[in-house]
Amino acid sequence: QVQLVESGGGLVQPGGSLRLSCAASGIFDSIYVMGWYRQAPGKQRELVALIASTSRTNYADSAKGRFTISRDNAKNTVYLQMNSLKPEDTGVYYCNVAAGLRGAFSSYWGQGTQVTVSS
């Protein structure tokens, strides 16, 4: 079982920045993919960014050039640096990790952290 604890959300003005963190703990051999998703009110959850254990990254078009995903493998933590925030970035941001234990892989979700971009 893997537990994810997210932090860093809040209220920010348009053009501002926030840094989200997600720390994984529990029983696992390794963490493969770590990512961030968001869900705006009335919309489906959507991918924001992913980072593999190789450090290869993938971004949603809306995040490219503004957001940076990174990970600290020693701390089992993934970060999302969000710059030039827009009102349309508002939503609940969820951390997701794919972790393995004795050859079996599972996906885990954090509880979500609210990001509100508003003046």
Side-chain angles (χ1 to χ4, degrees), residues 43-93:
K43 295 187 177 181
Q44 291 187 332
R45 193 173 298 186
E46 61 179 3
L47 170 69
V48 177
L50 294 173
I51 184 167
S53 56
T54 58
S55 295
R56 182 173 180 177
T57 58
N58 185 37
Y59 293 92
D61 288 342
S62 59
K64 290 178 181 177
R66 300 188 299 126
F67 295 1
T68 301
I69 190 170
S70 61
R71 62 191 284 173
D72 184 333
N73 291 327
K75 296 181 179 180
N76 295 317
T77 300
V78 61
Y79 306 95
L80 185 68
Q81 177 66 44
M82 302 186 293
N83 299 326
S84 302
L85 283 161
K86 304 175 181 180
E88 50 264 42
D89 294 319
T90 294
V92 180
Y93 283 68

Side-chain angles (χ1 to χ4, degrees), residues 11-26:
L11 173 64
V12 64
Q13 292 187 342
S17 298
L18 283 175
R19 188 191 193 209
L20 306 182
S21 300
C22 173
S25 62

